[in-house]
Amino acid sequence: MARLSQEELQKLMKKENCSRIWSWSKWHRFYHSPYEYFLHDIKHMEEDRTDCIYTTTGSIAHDILERYYSGELAYQDMINDFEDGWITAVNIADMKFDRNSPEKNDSISQKYFEDLQHFFKNHIPLKYKPMVEQFIKAKIDGNLFQGYIDICFKDEERNIHIVDWKTSSIYKGTKAEQECGQLIVYAIGLNQQGIPMDKIKVCWNFLKYVSIQYQQKNGTVKTREVERCKIGESLQSNAKAWLKAGGYDVDKYLKLLLDTNSIECLPDDVRENYVISDCYVYVSLTDKLINKWITEITITLKDIMLREEDYKETGNDKVFWDTEESIKAQSYYFATLCGYSPNLHLPYKAYLEKIEAAKNGEDTFRNVGTNHDDDDTTSIEMNKNKYKNIDNVDLSWLDETNS
Protein backbone atom coordinates (compact mmCIF):
# COMPACT_ATOMS: atom_id res chain seq x y z
CA MET A 1 0.00 0.00 0.00
CA ALA A 2 1.27 3.48 -0.89
CA ARG A 3 2.21 5.67 2.05
CA LEU A 4 0.05 8.69 2.83
CA SER A 5 1.38 11.91 1.35
CA GLN A 6 2.16 14.97 3.44
CA GLU A 7 -1.01 16.56 2.11
CA GLU A 8 -3.05 13.54 3.23
CA LEU A 9 -1.41 13.57 6.66
CA GLN A 10 -2.19 17.28 7.01
CA LYS A 11 -5.84 16.57 6.22
CA LEU A 12 -5.86 13.77 8.78
CA MET A 13 -4.42 16.04 11.48
CA LYS A 14 -7.02 18.69 10.70
CA LYS A 15 -9.79 16.10 10.83
CA GLU A 16 -8.54 14.79 14.17
CA ASN A 17 -7.94 18.31 15.52
CA CYS A 18 -4.26 17.57 16.19
CA SER A 19 -1.34 19.92 15.55
CA ARG A 20 1.13 17.11 14.96
CA ILE A 21 1.23 13.43 14.15
CA TRP A 22 3.55 10.88 15.73
CA SER A 23 5.12 7.69 14.44
CA TRP A 24 6.35 4.85 16.58
CA SER A 25 9.89 5.24 15.23
CA LYS A 26 9.99 8.88 16.37
CA TRP A 27 8.64 8.04 19.81
CA HIS A 28 11.01 5.11 20.21
CA ARG A 29 14.00 7.15 19.06
CA PHE A 30 13.48 9.60 21.92
CA TYR A 31 12.72 6.80 24.37
CA HIS A 32 16.03 5.20 23.38
CA SER A 33 18.11 8.38 23.31
CA PRO A 34 16.79 11.95 23.73
CA TYR A 35 19.92 13.32 22.09
CA GLU A 36 19.53 11.06 19.08
CA TYR A 37 15.97 12.43 18.78
CA PHE A 38 17.43 15.94 18.99
CA LEU A 39 19.89 15.27 16.19
CA HIS A 40 17.42 13.46 13.95
CA ASP A 41 14.09 15.20 14.58
CA ILE A 42 15.04 18.68 15.77
CA LYS A 43 18.27 19.42 13.91
CA HIS A 44 17.44 17.05 11.01
CA MET A 45 21.07 15.99 10.78
CA GLU A 46 22.06 13.10 8.56
CA GLU A 47 23.57 10.11 10.32
CA ASP A 48 27.33 9.96 9.85
CA ARG A 49 27.69 6.22 10.47
CA THR A 50 26.04 4.24 7.69
CA ASP A 51 27.96 0.98 8.01
CA CYS A 52 25.65 -0.76 10.52
CA ILE A 53 23.86 -3.64 8.82
CA TYR A 54 21.10 -4.43 11.32
CA THR A 55 18.60 -1.97 9.90
CA THR A 56 19.54 -2.97 6.36
CA THR A 57 18.93 -6.68 6.94
CA GLY A 58 15.53 -5.83 8.40
CA SER A 59 14.68 -3.69 5.39
CA ILE A 60 15.77 -6.40 2.95
CA ALA A 61 13.62 -9.01 4.69
CA HIS A 62 10.59 -6.71 4.96
CA ASP A 63 10.80 -5.75 1.29
CA ILE A 64 11.01 -9.38 0.14
CA LEU A 65 8.08 -10.47 2.29
CA GLU A 66 5.98 -7.48 1.26
CA ARG A 67 6.54 -8.25 -2.42
CA TYR A 68 5.87 -11.95 -1.92
CA TYR A 69 2.58 -11.40 -0.08
CA SER A 70 1.60 -8.69 -2.57
CA GLY A 71 1.97 -11.21 -5.38
CA GLU A 72 4.96 -9.43 -6.95
CA LEU A 73 7.53 -12.11 -6.11
CA ALA A 74 7.38 -15.89 -6.47
CA TYR A 75 8.09 -18.02 -3.40
CA GLN A 76 11.15 -19.67 -4.98
CA ASP A 77 12.61 -16.25 -5.85
CA MET A 78 12.68 -14.97 -2.27
CA ILE A 79 15.96 -16.71 -1.50
CA ASN A 80 17.65 -15.26 -4.60
CA ASP A 81 16.57 -11.74 -3.70
CA PHE A 82 17.78 -12.21 -0.14
CA GLU A 83 21.19 -13.49 -1.22
CA ASP A 84 21.55 -10.66 -3.75
CA GLY A 85 20.68 -8.10 -1.07
CA TRP A 86 23.11 -9.71 1.36
CA ILE A 87 25.97 -9.61 -1.14
CA THR A 88 25.29 -5.93 -1.83
CA ALA A 89 25.22 -5.03 1.87
CA VAL A 90 28.06 -7.21 3.16
CA ASN A 91 30.44 -7.76 0.28
CA ILE A 92 30.01 -4.54 -1.68
CA ALA A 93 28.94 -1.93 0.89
CA ASP A 94 31.04 -3.62 3.61
CA MET A 95 28.39 -3.08 6.29
CA LYS A 96 29.10 -4.41 9.77
CA PHE A 97 27.35 -6.25 12.58
CA ASP A 98 30.14 -5.26 14.94
CA ARG A 99 32.34 -2.25 14.18
CA ASN A 100 34.97 -3.00 16.81
CA SER A 101 35.86 -6.67 16.38
CA PRO A 102 36.41 -8.32 12.98
CA GLU A 103 36.20 -11.77 14.57
CA LYS A 104 32.92 -11.03 16.32
CA ASN A 105 31.55 -9.38 13.20
CA ASP A 106 32.35 -12.43 11.07
CA SER A 107 30.77 -14.79 13.61
CA ILE A 108 27.55 -12.78 13.88
CA SER A 109 27.42 -12.29 10.12
CA GLN A 110 27.70 -16.01 9.40
CA LYS A 111 24.89 -16.90 11.81
CA TYR A 112 22.64 -14.12 10.54
CA PHE A 113 23.13 -15.25 6.97
CA GLU A 114 22.41 -18.90 7.77
CA ASP A 115 19.33 -17.98 9.82
CA LEU A 116 17.75 -15.75 7.19
CA GLN A 117 18.78 -18.00 4.32
CA HIS A 118 16.99 -20.85 6.08
CA PHE A 119 13.90 -18.67 6.59
CA PHE A 120 13.58 -17.71 2.93
CA LYS A 121 14.01 -21.33 1.88
CA ASN A 122 11.56 -22.71 4.45
CA HIS A 123 9.07 -19.96 5.31
CA ILE A 124 5.59 -21.42 5.81
CA PRO A 125 3.14 -19.11 4.00
CA LEU A 126 0.16 -17.83 5.95
CA LYS A 127 -2.96 -19.89 5.29
CA TYR A 128 -5.23 -16.85 5.57
CA LYS A 129 -5.44 -14.08 3.03
CA PRO A 130 -2.89 -11.50 4.21
CA MET A 131 -2.96 -7.73 3.87
CA VAL A 132 0.41 -5.95 3.80
CA GLU A 133 1.50 -2.48 4.86
CA GLN A 134 -1.96 -1.31 5.87
CA PHE A 135 -2.35 2.19 7.29
CA ILE A 136 -3.53 2.54 10.87
CA LYS A 137 -4.10 5.54 13.14
CA ALA A 138 -4.54 5.70 16.89
CA LYS A 139 -5.25 8.43 19.41
CA ILE A 140 -3.60 8.10 22.79
CA ASP A 141 -4.50 10.75 25.36
CA GLY A 142 -5.23 13.18 22.50
CA ASN A 143 -1.97 12.40 20.67
CA LEU A 144 -2.34 11.10 17.12
CA PHE A 145 -0.18 8.19 15.93
CA GLN A 146 0.02 6.82 12.41
CA GLY A 147 1.73 3.68 11.15
CA TYR A 148 1.71 0.78 8.73
CA ILE A 149 1.11 -2.80 9.84
CA ASP A 150 3.65 -5.23 8.33
CA ILE A 151 1.02 -7.85 7.69
CA CYS A 152 -2.38 -8.75 9.09
CA PHE A 153 -5.08 -11.31 8.49
CA LYS A 154 -8.46 -12.47 9.74
CA ASP A 155 -8.83 -16.06 10.94
CA GLU A 156 -11.90 -18.30 10.82
CA GLU A 157 -13.04 -16.99 14.20
CA ARG A 158 -12.85 -13.44 12.85
CA ASN A 159 -9.89 -12.52 15.02
CA ILE A 160 -7.65 -9.87 13.48
CA HIS A 161 -3.97 -10.83 13.72
CA ILE A 162 -1.34 -8.09 13.57
CA VAL A 163 2.08 -9.49 12.64
CA ASP A 164 5.38 -7.61 12.84
CA TRP A 165 8.37 -9.17 11.03
CA LYS A 166 11.51 -9.16 13.17
CA THR A 167 15.12 -10.01 12.29
CA SER A 168 16.27 -9.29 15.85
CA SER A 169 16.87 -11.71 18.69
CA ILE A 170 13.68 -13.21 20.11
CA TYR A 171 11.55 -11.46 22.75
CA LYS A 172 9.92 -13.58 25.43
CA GLY A 173 8.35 -13.00 28.83
CA THR A 174 9.25 -9.66 30.40
CA LYS A 175 11.33 -8.69 27.37
CA ALA A 176 8.30 -9.11 25.10
CA GLU A 177 6.23 -6.85 27.36
CA GLN A 178 9.01 -4.26 27.27
CA GLU A 179 9.19 -4.27 23.47
CA CYS A 180 5.54 -4.57 22.41
CA GLY A 181 4.63 -0.87 22.45
CA GLN A 182 4.21 -0.60 18.69
CA LEU A 183 1.90 -3.62 18.64
CA ILE A 184 -0.13 -2.06 21.47
CA VAL A 185 -0.51 1.19 19.50
CA TYR A 186 -1.76 -0.73 16.46
CA ALA A 187 -4.20 -2.72 18.61
CA ILE A 188 -5.56 0.50 20.13
CA GLY A 189 -5.97 1.86 16.62
CA LEU A 190 -8.06 -1.12 15.54
CA ASN A 191 -10.06 -0.95 18.75
CA GLN A 192 -10.85 2.70 18.06
CA GLN A 193 -12.24 1.60 14.70
CA GLY A 194 -14.79 -0.55 16.53
CA ILE A 195 -13.01 -3.92 16.68
CA PRO A 196 -13.33 -5.47 20.17
CA MET A 197 -10.00 -5.79 21.93
CA ASP A 198 -10.61 -9.49 22.56
CA LYS A 199 -10.79 -10.03 18.76
CA ILE A 200 -7.36 -8.48 18.21
CA LYS A 201 -4.23 -10.66 18.36
CA VAL A 202 -0.74 -9.18 18.14
CA CYS A 203 2.54 -10.96 17.54
CA TRP A 204 5.99 -10.93 16.03
CA ASN A 205 7.37 -13.43 13.55
CA PHE A 206 11.04 -13.78 14.49
CA LEU A 207 12.61 -14.70 11.18
CA LYS A 208 15.86 -16.03 12.64
CA TYR A 209 14.03 -18.65 14.70
CA VAL A 210 11.78 -21.67 14.32
CA SER A 211 9.27 -23.10 16.73
CA ILE A 212 9.87 -26.83 17.22
CA GLN A 213 7.14 -29.00 18.71
CA TYR A 214 8.58 -32.34 19.71
CA GLN A 215 7.49 -35.42 21.58
CA GLN A 216 9.52 -36.90 24.39
CA LYS A 217 9.87 -40.60 25.16
CA ASN A 218 7.61 -40.22 28.21
CA GLY A 219 4.79 -39.02 25.95
CA THR A 220 4.86 -35.33 26.84
CA VAL A 221 4.92 -32.77 24.05
CA LYS A 222 7.07 -29.67 24.35
CA THR A 223 7.71 -26.59 22.19
CA ARG A 224 11.00 -24.74 21.89
CA GLU A 225 12.10 -21.68 19.97
CA VAL A 226 15.42 -22.38 18.31
CA GLU A 227 17.74 -20.29 16.17
CA ARG A 228 17.49 -21.64 12.63
CA CYS A 229 21.21 -22.32 12.23
CA LYS A 230 21.08 -24.52 15.37
CA ILE A 231 18.16 -26.82 14.59
CA GLY A 232 20.34 -29.92 14.23
CA GLU A 233 22.37 -29.07 17.31
CA SER A 234 19.31 -28.44 19.48
CA LEU A 235 17.66 -31.79 18.66
CA GLN A 236 20.65 -34.03 19.38
CA SER A 237 19.51 -35.29 22.78
CA ASN A 238 15.88 -35.91 21.84
CA ALA A 239 16.72 -37.47 18.48
CA LYS A 240 19.25 -39.74 20.16
CA ALA A 241 16.53 -41.25 22.36
CA TRP A 242 14.23 -41.94 19.40
CA LEU A 243 17.02 -43.30 17.20
CA LYS A 244 18.20 -45.62 19.95
CA ALA A 245 14.65 -46.88 20.57
CA GLY A 246 14.24 -47.56 16.85
CA GLY A 247 17.46 -49.54 16.61
CA TYR A 248 19.12 -47.12 14.20
CA ASP A 249 22.78 -46.22 13.84
CA VAL A 250 22.68 -43.37 16.36
CA ASP A 251 26.06 -41.79 15.61
CA LYS A 252 25.43 -41.80 11.87
CA TYR A 253 22.09 -40.00 12.07
CA LEU A 254 23.17 -37.55 14.74
CA LYS A 255 26.09 -36.50 12.54
CA LEU A 256 23.75 -36.14 9.57
CA LEU A 257 21.43 -34.04 11.71
CA LEU A 258 24.30 -31.75 12.61
CA ASP A 259 25.72 -31.56 9.08
CA THR A 260 22.41 -30.93 7.32
CA ASN A 261 20.73 -28.93 10.10
CA SER A 262 17.49 -30.57 8.96
CA ILE A 263 15.18 -33.28 10.29
CA GLU A 264 14.73 -34.52 6.70
CA CYS A 265 17.78 -36.75 7.16
CA LEU A 266 16.08 -38.72 9.96
CA PRO A 267 14.13 -41.97 9.45
CA ASP A 268 10.41 -41.40 8.90
CA ASP A 269 9.29 -42.79 12.26
CA VAL A 270 11.76 -40.51 14.07
CA ARG A 271 11.06 -37.45 11.95
CA GLU A 272 7.32 -37.66 12.65
CA ASN A 273 8.00 -36.72 16.28
CA TYR A 274 8.83 -33.15 15.22
CA VAL A 275 6.78 -30.28 13.84
CA ILE A 276 8.79 -27.25 12.77
CA SER A 277 7.07 -23.95 12.04
CA ASP A 278 7.83 -20.24 11.86
CA CYS A 279 8.40 -18.56 15.20
CA TYR A 280 5.35 -16.48 16.10
CA VAL A 281 5.41 -14.92 19.57
CA TYR A 282 2.05 -13.51 20.71
CA VAL A 283 1.51 -10.92 23.41
CA SER A 284 -1.65 -11.06 25.52
CA LEU A 285 -3.54 -7.78 25.35
CA THR A 286 -4.39 -7.48 29.02
CA ASP A 287 -5.83 -4.26 30.48
CA LYS A 288 -2.77 -4.01 32.70
CA LEU A 289 -0.34 -4.15 29.77
CA ILE A 290 -2.37 -1.74 27.63
CA ASN A 291 -2.69 0.75 30.48
CA LYS A 292 1.04 0.48 31.20
CA TRP A 293 1.87 1.42 27.63
CA ILE A 294 -0.68 4.23 27.45
CA THR A 295 0.91 5.72 30.57
CA GLU A 296 4.44 5.22 29.22
CA ILE A 297 3.60 6.73 25.85
CA THR A 298 1.75 9.70 27.35
CA ILE A 299 4.51 10.55 29.84
CA THR A 300 7.18 10.28 27.15
CA LEU A 301 5.31 12.53 24.71
CA LYS A 302 4.85 15.15 27.41
CA ASP A 303 8.56 14.92 28.18
CA ILE A 304 9.40 15.42 24.50
CA MET A 305 7.19 18.47 24.15
CA LEU A 306 8.49 20.06 27.37
CA ARG A 307 12.07 19.61 26.22
CA GLU A 308 11.23 21.03 22.80
CA GLU A 309 9.79 24.12 24.48
CA ASP A 310 12.88 24.44 26.69
CA TYR A 311 15.16 24.18 23.65
CA LYS A 312 13.09 26.72 21.71
CA GLU A 313 13.50 29.21 24.55
CA THR A 314 17.12 28.54 25.48
CA GLY A 315 18.77 27.02 22.39
CA ASN A 316 20.63 24.78 24.84
CA ASP A 317 20.98 21.20 23.57
CA LYS A 318 21.59 20.03 27.14
CA VAL A 319 17.82 19.75 27.57
CA PHE A 320 18.08 16.65 25.35
CA TRP A 321 21.26 15.34 26.98
CA ASP A 322 21.28 11.60 27.70
CA THR A 323 22.12 10.64 31.25
CA GLU A 324 25.38 8.88 31.93
CA GLU A 325 23.44 5.94 33.39
CA SER A 326 21.38 5.58 30.24
CA ILE A 327 24.42 5.63 27.97
CA LYS A 328 26.22 3.11 30.16
CA ALA A 329 23.21 0.78 30.12
CA GLN A 330 23.05 1.01 26.34
CA SER A 331 26.76 1.07 25.59
CA TYR A 332 26.45 -1.68 22.96
CA TYR A 333 23.77 0.28 21.14
CA PHE A 334 25.85 3.46 21.00
CA ALA A 335 29.00 1.59 19.98
CA THR A 336 27.40 -0.64 17.35
CA LEU A 337 23.88 0.35 16.33
CA CYS A 338 23.53 4.11 16.66
CA GLY A 339 23.76 5.98 13.36
CA TYR A 340 25.47 8.96 14.97
CA SER A 341 29.15 8.82 15.89
CA PRO A 342 30.57 10.48 19.03
CA ASN A 343 31.51 13.41 16.80
CA LEU A 344 27.81 14.28 16.62
CA HIS A 345 26.33 12.48 19.63
CA LEU A 346 27.94 14.70 22.24
CA PRO A 347 26.63 12.95 25.38
CA TYR A 348 28.18 9.72 24.13
CA LYS A 349 31.40 11.55 23.33
CA ALA A 350 31.50 13.00 26.86
CA TYR A 351 30.86 9.54 28.29
CA LEU A 352 33.79 8.06 26.32
CA GLU A 353 36.03 10.95 27.38
CA LYS A 354 35.11 10.35 31.00
CA ILE A 355 36.05 6.67 30.68
CA GLU A 356 39.35 7.63 29.07
CA ALA A 357 40.03 10.18 31.79
CA ALA A 358 39.34 7.58 34.47
CA LYS A 359 41.87 5.27 32.84
CA ASN A 360 44.43 8.05 33.13
CA GLY A 361 43.61 8.67 36.79
CA GLU A 362 41.75 11.93 36.14
CA ASP A 363 38.37 13.01 37.53
CA THR A 364 37.52 15.52 34.86
CA PHE A 365 34.13 14.66 33.38
CA ARG A 366 32.45 13.93 36.68
CA ASN A 367 29.21 15.73 35.85
CA VAL A 368 28.72 14.36 32.35
CA GLY A 369 25.06 14.09 31.37
CA THR A 370 22.09 15.82 32.95
CA ASN A 371 18.74 14.55 34.12
CA HIS A 372 15.74 16.44 32.79
CA ASP A 373 13.35 16.49 35.74
CA ASP A 374 9.66 16.94 35.16
CA ASP A 375 7.59 16.50 38.27
CA ASP A 376 4.34 16.78 36.34
CA THR A 377 4.96 13.64 34.32
CA THR A 378 4.51 11.38 37.32
CA SER A 379 0.93 12.53 37.86
CA ILE A 380 -0.45 12.17 34.34
CA GLU A 381 -3.92 10.65 34.28
CA MET A 382 -4.68 8.17 31.54
CA ASN A 383 -7.44 9.08 29.15
CA LYS A 384 -10.49 7.19 30.42
CA ASN A 385 -11.96 7.22 26.92
CA LYS A 386 -8.88 5.69 25.35
CA TYR A 387 -10.92 3.22 23.33
CA LYS A 388 -13.56 5.70 22.20
CA ASN A 389 -14.01 5.55 18.43
CA ILE A 390 -12.51 8.31 16.33
CA ASP A 391 -13.53 9.17 12.79
CA ASN A 392 -12.74 6.40 10.38
CA VAL A 393 -9.93 6.26 7.89
CA ASP A 394 -10.03 3.67 5.14
CA LEU A 395 -10.00 0.30 6.89
CA SER A 396 -11.93 -1.52 4.21
CA TRP A 397 -8.93 -3.83 3.95
CA LEU A 398 -10.21 -5.55 7.10
CA ASP A 399 -13.31 -6.71 5.25
CA GLU A 400 -11.20 -8.03 2.38
CA THR A 401 -9.26 -10.46 4.51
CA ASN A 402 -12.00 -13.11 4.31
CA SER A 403 -12.74 -12.68 0.62
Side-chain angles (χ1 to χ4, degrees), residues 158-195:
R158 303 191 67 78
N159 296 306
I160 305 295
H161 295 250
I162 295 173
V163 182
D164 192 38
W165 306 113
K166 278 292 182 186
T167 55
S168 67
S169 297
I170 193 170
Y171 307 149
K172 297 187 70 176
T174 301
K175 178 68 172 175
E177 293 186 356
Q178 293 171 344
E179 298 291 341
C180 68
Q182 184 176 20
L183 295 175
I184 297 294
V185 171
Y186 291 166
I188 290 173
L190 290 186
N191 182 253
Q192 289 173 344
Q193 299 302 321
I195 299 173

Side-chain angles (χ1 to χ4, degrees), residues 203-358:
C203 70
W204 298 283
N205 183 342
F206 288 97
L207 309 192
K208 297 195 319 175
Y209 297 80
V210 291
S211 178
I212 304 179
Q213 185 183 84
Y214 61 99
Q215 186 168 326
Q216 296 183 300
K217 286 296 294 178
N218 62 9
T220 60
V221 176
K222 290 192 173 183
T223 300
R224 293 174 57 193
E225 289 76 33
V226 174
E227 193 172 353
R228 288 178 179 268
C229 68
K230 297 180 179 179
I231 294 173
E233 176 184 334
S234 69
L235 293 178
Q236 289 288 298
S237 178
N238 185 264
K240 181 177 181 179
W242 287 109
L243 290 166
K244 187 175 180 180
Y248 295 104
D249 186 332
V250 175
D251 291 340
K252 169 191 169 183
Y253 280 107
L254 290 183
K255 184 176 186 305
L256 280 172
L257 185 58
L258 272 179
D259 292 343
T260 65
N261 194 44
S262 171
I263 62 172
E264 295 303 313
C265 69
L266 298 175
D268 291 346
D269 60 330
V270 175
R271 189 171 64 247
E272 67 185 12
N273 293 296
Y274 307 101
V275 177
I276 298 180
S277 57
D278 281 6
C279 183
Y280 291 91
V281 175
Y282 279 81
V283 177
S284 297
L285 293 173
T286 64
D287 287 343
K288 180 179 179 181
L289 183 62
I290 294 169
N291 290 337
K292 167 191 173 296
W293 272 105
I294 289 174
T295 302
E296 191 76 48
I297 289 167
T298 304
I299 289 174
T300 303
L301 290 181
K302 185 171 184 180
D303 189 9
I304 292 173
M305 290 183 278
L306 286 171
R307 295 196 197 206
E308 287 178 346
E309 285 298 316
D310 284 352
Y311 177 72
K312 187 176 180 181
E313 292 176 6
T314 66
N316 186 353
D317 67 348
K318 289 293 182 70
V319 300
F320 287 99
W321 209 261
D322 294 345
T323 66
E324 180 181 351
E325 293 78 13
S326 174
I327 294 175
K328 183 177 181 180
Q330 301 181 92
S331 58
Y332 180 81
Y333 171 81
F334 287 107
T336 305
L337 303 175
C338 183
Y340 293 106
S341 74
N343 293 327
L344 296 178
H345 199 295
L346 300 185
Y348 182 49
K349 180 180 181 180
Y351 173 76
L352 294 177
E353 289 174 341
K354 180 181 179 182
I355 292 176
E356 189 62 28

Side-chain angles (χ1 to χ4, degrees), residues 29-96:
R29 187 158 38 246
F30 176 88
Y31 189 78
H32 216 49
S33 168
Y35 203 81
E36 185 175 354
Y37 175 91
F38 169 73
L39 293 174
H40 190 279
D41 297 284
I42 304 297
K43 301 295 286 183
H44 304 292
M45 296 183 67
E46 290 188 11
E47 295 179 344
D48 61 339
R49 295 200 301 191
T50 58
D51 61 342
C52 178
I53 197 173
Y54 285 97
T55 300
T56 300
T57 54
S59 297
I60 291 170
H62 277 73
D63 177 68
I64 292 171
L65 287 164
E66 181 181 344
R67 288 188 291 122
Y68 167 64
Y69 279 107
S70 298
E72 302 171 15
L73 185 67
Y75 183 91
Q76 64 272 16
D77 292 333
M78 288 197 296
I79 183 61
N80 295 328
D81 278 29
F82 164 68
E83 291 176 350
D84 288 346
W86 183 272
I87 289 171
T88 300
V90 175
N91 299 88
I92 298 176
D94 195 30
M95 302 184 83
K96 305 294 185 184

